[in-house]
Amino acid sequence: MYVQQLRPVADSLGLSALVAALPLVIVLVLLGGVRMRAHLAGLSGLLTAVLVACLAYRMPLDQTLSSAAQGAAFGLFPILWIVVNALWVYRMTVRTRHFDVLRRSFGRLSDDPRVQALVVAFCFGALLEALAGFGAPVAICSVMLVALGFDPVRAAVVCLVANTAPVAFGAMGTPVVTLAQVTGLPLDTVASVVGRQTPLLALVVPLVLVGLVDGRRGLRETWVPALVCGVAFAAAQFAASNYVSAQLADIAASLIGAGALVAVPHARVPAAETVRASVLTGARGEDFDQRDPRPEVLRAYAPYALIVVVFSVAQIPAVKDRLAWATRTFDWPFLDVVDAHGARVGGNVFSWPVVSTGGTLVLIAGVAAAVVLGVHARVAAAEWLATVRELRFAILTVTSVLALAYVMNLSGQAATIGYCVAAAGAGLAFLSPVLGWFGVAVSGSDTSANALFGALQVTAARESGLSPELLAAANSSGGVLGKMISPQNLTIACAAVGLAGREGDVLRKVLPWSVGLLLVMCLIVVGQSTPVLGWTLP
């Protein structure tokens, strides 16, 4: 049995936290500073995490390697399982030229690339986040923006920043459901508090996106549709999470936000040629003038409509119960870990939801889409294998980063950092979102960050006299802002738009926004912990 230590370095929590943070710091420095390829940076961070676990935390080598293997397995399934199948669906639409039809359809909603970024990256991306999550929105939407003529770097940055506000309720509410489970707090209470934090981000993010696309001119000329979209999205997310269902919050928000955006007359005004010349790459050709037959347009939308239908049906209680029977749960070999208080950690057990996981549901929708699009089974299989080949370096990156995260979690490195932050006392309300941000930056998942730090946030809140519900929600709301700098998300975005090896360039562009919006969230939580904004809580 391995017992996690919180102060392995000179019996000092602060020094131990500095050592524990080395793996993540090394990954970010190698990516953003040295510009090392993401898979090499991930492997370097993994090696550092293993050395810290063995040398500083005295974790046995066999358990250290076993925890890394479990992280890699989780990276493959369900995360990469979702991404591969989502991109496979996209490749089939490209093969049959229906993606061009979809591109022209989106393009006709507005000729303004700034509005197109809102429709695709923010609204459609939020819908994909609601249904699948785990990188699929970034992968699909960044490709769609490139097809609309966006520069690949700009498309990746826009989609990464857009993938913030919906994350806490993504994958049918999985992050907040997990947060409620690990903290013992009622789901309705946790969801309602998160639903009074992330909608405030939704008010800002559309304005940030039009600024990213076209600078100050973009804000000056398209602030009206951006604000309308943000307000509609925020209102729907708030209402659904507080009064309907956390699982439906993002679905309602994305659809209502898109409807409001399209309804704004200004959103349909064609952009000036100077705007398109400065924003687009020139890939947007004269084929936008082509009118597609209505049946072809319906077939172009069919793959994504099928994804919505399959995921929605899978959430029906009776169907969900039937799908859950295939979940396999077993003790992970060579792992026997307890935390510093003697309680067995969840990492000793591995759950494998074979059928009910998002990737399998996307695969089912993809098979149906192949039939609708008229793709032969042999061609569909060849496209799936081609997708895996295309993502080979992304697969290596994601598995190494998740292996790093699991080594940090199971060895106690993450807990050390968490307790160091929790010791902040009066400053805990400000640092609480930072802890969630750190967890997502490491793992790439708001769900994982909630599982890791949720209970710790509640314990620290009770010791400090703060609201447990507030700090638990802050962990999730702060975490969504770490997603855009997560190495696995950076890799997925770059791989999708053909920028493999340039993850560092994208990181440098999104890091200021990640930190800036995190500061905003920290101030919101501080305000909600006082009478200034305390009235906003349920």
Side-chain angles (χ1 to χ4, degrees), residues 310-449:
V310 170
F311 273 86
S312 299
V313 171
Q315 298 305 312
I316 298 174
V319 176
K320 192 172 185 177
D321 291 341
R322 292 293 298 271
L323 294 177
W325 70 267
T327 299
R328 299 290 180 263
T329 301
F330 53 89
D331 291 331
W332 190 261
F334 306 110
L335 269 186
D336 188 10
V337 181
V338 297
D339 63 21
H341 305 292
R344 288 179 60 81
V345 301
N348 293 307
V349 177
F350 186 79
S351 293
W352 187 22
V354 182
V355 180
S356 60
T357 190
T360 303
L361 297 179
V362 173
L363 178 65
I364 293 171
V367 171
V371 174
V372 172
L373 297 175
V375 180
H376 192 277
R378 188 187 310 107
V379 175
E383 289 294 336
W384 194 91
L385 293 174
T387 303
V388 174
R389 285 195 298 272
E390 179 183 338
L391 292 176
R392 60 189 182 280
F393 288 117
I395 291 171
L396 181 57
T397 300
V398 172
T399 52
S400 62
V401 168
L402 265 296
L404 175 156
Y406 269 63
V407 171
M408 290 186 67
N409 294 348
L410 291 172
S411 66
Q413 296 172 53
T416 296
I417 296 169
Y419 274 93
C420 185
V421 173
L428 182 58
F430 183 86
L431 292 177
S432 183
V434 177
L435 192 57
W437 176 85
F438 169 80
V440 176
V442 172
S443 66
S445 165
D446 199 39
T447 300
S448 298

Side-chain angles (χ1 to χ4, degrees), residues 12 25 49 153 316 340 400 413 422 476 523:
S12 167
V25 171
V153 173
I316 298 174
S400 62
Q413 296 172 53
S476 189
L523 294 176

Side-chain angles (χ1 to χ4, degrees), residues 221-260:
E221 296 180 358
T222 53
W223 68 269
V224 172
L227 187 60
V228 168
C229 179
V231 169
F233 186 101
Q237 191 181 62
F238 163 78
S241 60
N242 277 267
Y243 306 112
V244 183
S245 166
Q247 287 85 350
L248 299 177
D250 279 349
I251 294 178
S254 60
L255 295 177
I256 292 175

Side-chain angles (χ1 to χ4, degrees), residues 259-299:
L261 177 62
V262 174
V264 179
H266 189 72
R268 299 183 182 182
V269 176
E273 288 300 321
T274 53
V275 175
R276 289 200 283 127
S278 64
V279 172
L280 303 182
T281 63
R284 191 183 194 280
E286 296 180 355
D287 67 332
F288 271 82
D289 296 329
Q290 177 181 335
R291 288 290 173 179
D292 299 295
R294 183 174 296 275
E296 291 303 300
V297 174
L298 293 176
R299 292 176 72 190

Side-chain angles (χ1 to χ4, degrees), residues 80-96 99 136 139-140 143 303-304 306-307 358-371 373 375-391 496:
L80 286 166
W81 183 234
I82 290 178
V83 175
V84 167
N85 288 324
L87 284 178
W88 170 61
V89 173
Y90 157 74
R91 286 182 66 100
M92 286 194 295
T93 63
V94 172
R95 178 73 177 246
T96 60
F99 189 81
I140 293 175
V143 169
Y304 301 102
L306 286 168
I307 291 175
T360 303
L361 297 179
V362 173
L363 178 65
I364 293 171
V367 171
V371 174
L373 297 175
V375 180
H376 192 277
R378 188 187 310 107
V379 175
E383 289 294 336
W384 194 91
L385 293 174
T387 303
V388 174
R389 285 195 298 272
E390 179 183 338
L391 292 176

Side-chain angles (χ1 to χ4, degrees), residues 87 90 93-94 98-99 101-107 116 119-121 124-125 128 136-150 155 159 288 300-301 304 496-497:
L87 284 178
Y90 157 74
T93 63
V94 172
H98 284 92
F99 189 81
V101 178
L102 184 67
R103 174 170 59 94
R104 287 190 288 268
S105 177
F106 271 109
Q116 291 170 354
V119 173
V120 175
F124 187 57
L128 292 176
V138 171
I140 293 175
C141 293
S142 57
V143 169
M144 293 183 71
L145 288 183
V146 170
L148 286 168
F150 278 68
C159 290
F288 271 82
Y301 277 93
Y304 301 102
V497 297

